[in-house]
Structure formats: structure tokens, C-alpha cells
Amino acid sequence: MPPILEARNLRKEYPGKLALKNLNLQLAPGEVFCLLGQNGAGKSTTINLFLGFIAPTAGAAFINGLEVARYPLEIKRHLAYIPENVLLYPHLTGLENLALLSSLAGFKYSESELRAYLTRAGLPPEAAGRRVGTYSKGMRQKVGIASAVAKRAQVLLLDEPTSGLDPKASNEFSELLQQLSSQGTAVFMATHDIFRAKEVGTRVGIMREGELVDVRPTTTLNANELEQLYLKHMQ
Amino acid sequence: MRLFRLLFYYEYLHFKASRGLLLLTGLLLAAGLYGIYYGTAEVARQRRHLAELPALGRHQVAELQVKFPGPAEAGEIGYYHHNYALHYPTAWASLALGQRDVNPYYLKLRLLGLQGQLYASENVNPVKALSGNFDLAFVLVYLFPLLIIALGFNLLSSEREQGILPLLLAQPVSATQLVLAKLAFRLAVVLGLGALLSAVGLAWARVPFDGRVGLWLALGGGYCLFWFGVVVLVAAGQRSSSFNAMALLGAWLTLVVLVPSLLSVYVAAARPVPQGLALTIQQREAIHGGWDQPKMETMRRFFTHYPQYRDTATIRERFAWRWYYAFQYLGDQSAAPLATAYANGQAQRHALAQRLAWLSPALSTQLGFNALAGTDLPAHLAFQQSATRYHDALRTFYYPFLFKKIPFTHADYARLPTHSFTSPSDTHAAWAGLGQLLLSTIAVYALGLALLRGRAVSIR
């Protein structure tokens, strides 16, 4: 099966700093890849390269076989993105924000469908019609999750997506990811949460100073072993 | 197109939710309506004054007829009788008063030397002249850019600073599409407001609907487009909203206030023009000197200009009106080179200002509006020339009475020449202003879009 997400010698340098060192990686449909690493390790840089927000210094990123740098708009039809801190238009309601994001992605949903997506993401139904300015961080995060699900993307790029979610909501999000994965969606998730990575990931990678130093299937080690492995690489 | 409509609609939602922008738009609408009222009220006041002058003239004739009940010496009548040279405004003047507030719109002329009378107008309240006219052209040229700045200073930076940009650009939409849709909505608001105010102003002032309406709208629309181009240029720098706001306000101050002021100083220095006062003094000195000149010498010089009166009787009296008016005329002649230099200098100043106006689109637009309304400096100079011709006509009328000693009867008052002048729109100058404006607009967009394309959009 061809990879849905691929990095070939992907490299990003800033003046005086190597942000990502020749990353080679492939994700198959339905795979959940969790990327662990300290702050500044290069996790967000990797996601930004897949999104086309920054240009690589060398190498290339591919989404569904399309090179990101050459097809910056086309690749965005195949992916959805949830940042660490979902920020939305504060004067619009959750429904209006979701309608905007899904319309931009090319989906025209009825109000009841939009409400259903928000509920599925865990937003209380009565909050959907309220202005986002009144939302907590976790509630905004749920609108972000709803927008990603509503986009029916083949690839999910997640940058600390459970940041701001309470434990119950985090668990529900994990279930949602597993459900999407079983439907063939590939997930690339940058996280600090080793437990969550072990729980939802099919593979886990550890990144240090811009380099992917270890990749393991999650079936080969338990949460404690993963934590030990991570700490060993961070020393 | 679907994407554009969607982004446009959401821009409308953002605009609707912004109380500050709604308030500013409302204030500008109110300012525009006041500008229309101010302009039409000022022109109505001038028209009322102009309409009262013929009645004033008739009243003066009645007084002269009492003072001189029978046939009189024409010299006496020419000395006392006021003739009015009238400069009527066009309907367009209500929208752009131009120089109609600082230059006289009527002149009170007697048969005496002309030059002193051309510049002897009523004093203008300097405080009022300092503040200028609050007409529609002022609102469009000076205040509309401020609304454009308020609408556009955070064209892209707002989404970036609110943190929404990454989520928006993770959708299949480019930053250029986003900027263009935002720009289109803001342009629609500004052009809609400008078109609404222009429509109200044109209807209120009862401006005839012809090609000049299109020229007015093109000047106003082109000027707004230019300022949106400046907004794109500043937004392309991808700096913070506060930086953009300061940069745009700096551009407003430079292009709307500083450059026109500096140009005015430069033009005045580059094209020195004798003062009207100097003209008056020279003419007056020549006239006063006329009293001390031998009458024969004065008349000899006068007859070189009017040889048809050479065979009139030699003046032997101590005072004769024809001699008096001869040295009045020679006074004008002595000031003629200075008067020509003054008129030419003024015209050259205006021509130089027009040539340099490309440095400030505000100036090109203002000059274009004034030319269209017939309220610019050339219009005033044309009025002065017309008044000069009228004074010549008065001389031509009176001289046979003076030199052939024909008594001036009551019936002759009705035969006195009258004057009326309406300065037409100078569409050629207005087109020139529009041309300069379009060149500036193309330049600023080319620069802005090149910068925007050359730099990747920073999402944070």
C-alpha cells in the first residue's frame, strides 16, 4: 500500500540552527504515529513542513503522493490539522466557526450536521450557539477537533491536541482517534503525553534536537518501557 | 468564486461584529453628509449674494438719478457708479468649493484704474480660511483614507495575532485568496460609502448628469483604490497590527499633509509671483503721479493707445474728467507688465503644482475635483480676465461721452454693459489628475503584490 504521508530526507535549517535533520518517514493509511520529544526538538517544525507553512531547506514532504511544496493547496484537501491551542474568531459562535472551516474545506453542512460534529467532539450542545469568546481553551479545542473530523481528511496532523482537555475529554479524544484510524485515517501526532502515545499510537518516534532517533511499534513495549526509552534518549 | 463569496460573507460578519468600525463608518457617513450640506449651503449663500447685486446696482442708479436729476457729465457717473463683475458657481462647486472661499466671487468696478480694483476684495476671515472648507471633496480626500486605514491596518495581521491563521491556512485556501477577499469586502464598504455620498451630493447640488459624473466617481474611486494599495503594501511587510497602523498613519500624514505643504512652499519659491498689493501700489503711484504731470504729456501718451480721440479739444481747464480717466488708464498701463507677470506667474505656479501632484495622490485628486467643479486657480484667473474685458467694455462705453462731451442721461444707465461669468469644468485637468492617480495606484499595487508574492506568509 503506498504511504499516505511521507518525508524524504526532509531537512529544515534556520540561520545558526538545525531544526530538522534529514527525516525519512512513511505512514500507511490507518496508522497512528506519535512523535515524542522535548520542547524545541523539531516536532512542530515537522508538522509545519507537512502543512506547507514553512519551506524545507532540503528533501521533500508528501501527502497522498503529492509533494507539499509543489501542491500547497491540493494537499490541504487531504489533511486536517489541530494545533496545540485552537484559536477561533471570538465574535462568531462555535457553529459559525465550524461552518467557516468546513466550507473552506469544501463541505457544506446543515446546522444539525454541524451540531452533530460538535457534540461528537465533546462540546456541550448548548454551547454550540454561543460566541467562542466565552469558551474555555478545552471547548475551543473541541471545535478544532470537530473541524478536523468534519473535513473527512485522510491524514490528521495533530500538534499537542489534548492540551487543555480534561482527562475525560482526552479519553474521548483517544477513542475518536482510534475510530478514525480504524476507518483508514492516518494520524501524525506530536505529543509530550507518553501514556496517550502508547494508548492510541501504532508506532512511536522519539525526536531529539531535530533528529528522529528512535522509532518503535507500540506493540513491542509497555508504557513504562516507553517512558524509560524516552528518558534514555533525552539524557 | 464560491470560496470568494464565502470569505466575503465572513468578512461581513466580522465587520458587523466590530462596533468600532461600525461607529467609524457611521461617523464618516455623517461627516460626508455634513460636507454636502456645508458645500451646498456655501454655494447657496454665494448665489444669494450674487442675486442681490443687480438690485443693489439698480438702487445705486436710482440714487445717482436723484443726485444728477438732469443730463450729467459722464465722468461723474463713471466715478460714482459701481458695476459688478459676477463669478457664478456651477452646481459642481457645491461638492468642491476649491478657492471660491478665498478668492472674490464678485468685483465692484468703477471707471477708475482697474488693477487696484481687481485685488481690492473683501477680507476673508483668516481663522476660517485656515480651517478650510469642509465640503464633500475634503471628506473624500482627507477623511476617507483614515477609514481605509482603520479597515485595513490589520488586513492579515489580525488573523495572525488572534492565532486563527494556522487553522485557516490548513484549509485549501491561500493567503493571497484570503487577502483578496478581505480587501474586496473592505473596498466594497468604502466604495459603497463614497458612491452613496456622491449620489446624495450630486442629487442635492442638482448636478447635471453627464460624463463629468463618471469622472468624479473615477477620481474618488481611484483615490480609494490607491489607499487600499498602500494598505496592501504595508500588509505585505507582515509586521504587527500596531506597526502597520503607525506606518499607515505616517503615510497619511506624509501624502495628505506634508507633501502638499512642502510642494506649496517649493512652488512658491520656484515660481515667484509679484503680490497683488505691489501691483496696486505701482498703479496707484502712477495715477497719483498723473496729477503732477503736464496734461499735454498725459494726453499725448493716452492718444497713442486711443488715436480715435486725438482730435478732441485741448484741455485748458484746471480739471477735466477725460484727463482724469486718461491718467487712470495710463496707471493701469504702467502696471501692465507687473499684472501680466502676476497672472502668468499664478498660472505657472498652478501648472507646476499640477505637474508635481503625482508626488501626492491627495493633491492630484483635490486638483482634479476642483478642476471638475471650476473652482481652481485657473477658474479664478479666467474670471479676472473676464472682469478685465468687462472693464475695457466700460471704458469703451464711457469714452465717447467723455471725449465727445456727450451728456449722460437717465436713459444711458440702461445701456451700460453688464457682466456675468461662470467658470466651466476643466475636464482636461481632471483627466490629467486621474491619470496621475492611476499611475500612482498601479505603482503601489505592483510593489505591494510583488512583496506579498516574494515572501512566504508567516503564520505566527
Side-chain angles (χ1 to χ4, degrees):
Chain A
M1 192 179 288
I4 190 81
L5 177 146
E6 185 180 7
R8 286 185 206 156
N9 289 318
L10 191 60
R11 185 180 179 89
K12 181 65 185 176
E13 288 172 33
Y14 293 107
K17 190 193 174 194
L18 176 62
L20 186 66
K21 185 178 175 185
N22 299 45
L23 175 69
N24 285 290
L25 182 72
Q26 291 189 338
L27 257 72
E31 197 173 354
V32 179
F33 186 92
C34 295
L35 188 61
L36 295 168
Q38 288 178 318
N39 290 336
K43 305 188 296 295
S44 296
T45 299
T46 308
I47 288 180
N48 285 337
L49 284 163
F50 279 117
L51 281 162
F53 287 170
I54 50 176
T57 309
F62 296 86
I63 300 286
N64 205 14
L66 297 169
E67 188 180 344
V68 171
R70 289 184 64 189
Y71 301 97
L73 288 187
E74 186 57 31
I75 57 112
K76 287 172 188 168
R77 297 186 196 286
H78 304 288
L79 62 81
Y81 167 59
I82 305 176
E84 180 182 359
N85 185 11
V86 172
L87 291 164
L88 303 158
Y89 286 114
H91 53 272
L92 300 182
T93 66
L95 272 172
E96 286 170 333
N97 271 290
L98 180 58
L100 169 65
L101 293 171
S102 25
S103 300
L104 286 177
F107 294 94
K108 181 93 182 136
Y109 292 118
S110 66
E111 188 183 323
S112 58
E113 287 171 318
L114 292 170
R115 282 184 186 278
Y117 276 116
L118 288 171
T119 307
R120 189 178 168 197
L123 190 76
E126 66 276 8
R130 266 187 13 225
R131 291 193 316 113
V132 163
T134 65
Y135 283 16
S136 66
K137 185 185 176 193
M139 289 165 85
R140 290 199 309 271
Q141 212 67 13
K142 286 167 185 172
V143 178
I145 293 165
S147 79
V149 176
K151 198 172 174 182
R152 300 182 204 159
Q154 293 163 284
V155 178
L156 277 184
L157 295 174
L158 312 175
D159 195 354
E160 303 285 354
T162 52
S163 162
L165 294 183
D166 57 47
K168 180 172 175 288
S170 294
N171 269 330
E172 286 168 359
F173 180 64
S174 297
E175 284 169 21
L176 186 64
L177 284 187
Q178 282 164 341
Q179 200 181 333
L180 291 171
S181 158
S182 68
Q183 291 164 2
T185 306
V187 178
F188 183 90
M189 178 164 75
T191 182
H192 291 293
D193 189 341
I194 293 170
F195 174 74
R196 191 78 48 209
K198 162 66 186 154
E199 186 189 43
V200 298
T202 53
R203 269 196 299 165
V204 64
I206 297 171
M207 187 167 263
R208 182 183 171 184
E209 292 174 357
E211 186 176 9
L212 189 60
V213 291
D214 207 338
V215 178
R216 305 276 176 103
T218 50
T219 49
T220 60
L221 65 181
N222 61 32
N224 278 341
E225 288 165 339
L226 177 58
E227 189 175 19
Q228 290 306 313
L229 183 70
Y230 176 75
L231 290 173
K232 191 185 99 186
H233 279 298
M234 291 305 116
Q235 281 171 358
Chain B
M1 200 59 202
R2 182 198 65 82
L3 188 69
F4 180 81
R5 279 205 309 272
L6 177 77
L7 290 169
F8 194 88
Y9 170 70
Y10 272 85
E11 279 308 306
Y12 160 70
L13 291 183
H14 302 327
F15 178 72
K16 206 174 70 167
S18 171
R19 284 184 193 164
L21 283 181
L22 285 175
L23 183 69
L24 189 64
T25 310
L27 279 175
L28 202 61
L29 177 67
L33 291 174
Y34 175 72
I36 293 166
Y37 163 76
Y38 179 95
T40 46
E42 173 62 20
V43 165
R45 187 183 68 83
Q46 292 187 5
R47 282 211 179 100
R48 207 166 48 246
H49 285 182
L50 289 168
E52 285 166 0
L53 292 175
L56 203 62
R58 285 193 296 277
H59 179 73
Q60 204 213 357
V61 166
E63 284 181 340
L64 286 172
Q65 285 172 339
V66 172
K67 187 179 172 80
F68 303 102
E73 269 202 84
E76 298 259 23
I77 308 302
Y79 186 82
Y80 289 111
H81 187 225
H82 294 141
N83 305 273
Y84 293 101
L86 310 177
H87 186 184
Y88 282 97
T90 62
W92 282 96
S94 304
L95 305 183
L97 289 164
Q99 300 202 358
R100 281 196 73 91
D101 62 332
V102 287
N103 289 323
Y105 51 90
Y106 69 87
L107 291 170
K108 206 158 69 172
L109 300 177
R110 293 191 288 162
L111 193 56
L112 311 177
L114 170 69
Q115 292 303 330
Q117 301 183 76
L118 273 183
Y119 307 102
S121 59
E122 288 173 21
N123 278 342
V124 175
N125 182 342
V127 176
K128 190 170 177 292
L130 189 68
S131 63
N133 294 314
F134 200 103
D135 52 15
L136 183 58
F138 170 81
V139 174
L140 290 173
V141 172
Y142 290 85
L143 303 187
F144 259 57
L146 294 176
L147 175 68
I148 294 170
I149 289 170
L151 281 167
F153 76 98
N154 58 359
L155 192 65
L156 198 55
S157 52
S158 136
E159 270 74 8
R160 190 167 50 235
E161 283 160 13
Q162 291 180 63
I164 307 162
L165 201 55
L167 215 51
L168 288 177
L169 293 182
Q171 314 306 326
V173 56
S174 69
T176 309
Q177 287 169 316
L178 210 59
V179 168
L180 286 179
K182 290 162 81 70
L183 202 63
F185 177 79
R186 286 154 169 75
L187 201 59
V189 169
V190 172
L191 291 185
L193 188 64
L196 174 71
L197 286 172
S198 294
V200 171
L202 292 167
W204 199 337
R206 296 184 182 169
V207 168
F209 193 81
D210 54 30
R212 288 173 297 175
V213 173
L215 198 47
W216 171 276
L217 293 175
L219 274 168
Y223 184 61
C224 292
L225 274 175
F226 167 80
W227 275 103
F228 274 108
V230 177
V231 164
V232 170
L233 184 61
V234 170
Q238 300 195 42
R239 305 291 290 267
S240 68
S241 296
S242 51
F243 177 90
N244 290 351
M246 293 307 292
L248 286 166
L249 284 173
W252 180 84
L253 197 66
T254 304
L255 295 177
V256 176
V257 181
L258 280 179
V259 172
S261 306
L262 291 174
L263 278 182
S264 172
V265 172
Y266 170 73
V267 165
R271 296 284 184 276
V273 169
Q275 294 290 313
L277 181 65
L279 261 170
T280 308
I281 290 171
Q282 176 154 348
Q283 181 226 32
R284 188 167 289 183
E285 280 177 352
I287 288 171
H288 287 180
W291 290 100
D292 304 325
Q293 295 287 321
K295 293 187 179 66
M296 290 290 283
E297 172 60 17
T298 299
M299 296 314 291
R300 188 192 62 74
R301 283 172 54 213
F302 177 78
F303 291 145
T304 60
H305 296 278
Y306 285 93
Q308 65 269 39
Y309 300 120
R310 198 184 291 273
D311 57 352
T312 52
T314 307
I315 297 168
R316 302 196 189 284
E317 315 86 303
R318 183 175 169 78
F319 176 83
W321 282 110
R322 61 184 188 280
W323 164 67
Y324 176 76
Y325 287 114
F327 70 70
Q328 292 285 330
Y329 173 82
L330 291 174
D332 275 345
Q333 288 303 306
S334 77
L338 208 55
T340 307
Y342 177 79
N344 288 346
Q346 292 281 18
Q348 283 171 6
R349 271 188 182 179
H350 186 76
L352 182 61
Q354 267 186 322
R355 275 204 304 281
L356 295 176
W358 63 270
L359 290 168
S360 163
L363 191 59
S364 321
T365 310
Q366 182 73 65
L367 288 175
F369 281 151
N370 291 351
L372 204 54
T375 55
D376 54 3
L377 181 65
H380 176 66
L381 293 176
F383 167 62
Q384 282 191 329
Q385 283 173 2
S386 171
T388 304
R389 287 192 296 274
Y390 175 52
H391 194 262
D392 286 343
L394 287 172
R395 281 179 166 145
T396 306
F397 175 80
Y398 274 107
Y399 281 177
F401 287 97
L402 293 169
F403 289 93
K404 295 184 177 170
K405 297 192 173 176
I406 301 169
F408 195 95
T409 66
H410 286 194
D412 292 321
Y413 287 108
R415 295 196 299 114
L416 271 163
T418 56
H419 177 269
S420 170
F421 178 79
T422 306
S423 48
S425 296
D426 184 353
T427 49
H428 179 74
W431 275 111
L434 182 62
Q436 285 177 331
L437 189 57
L438 290 181
L439 284 179
S440 309
T441 305
I442 289 168
V444 81
Y445 274 96
L447 201 57
L449 291 177
L451 266 177
L452 206 58
R453 282 190 174 188
R455 299 178 65 169
V457 171
S458 156
I459 56 162
R460 292 191 177 89

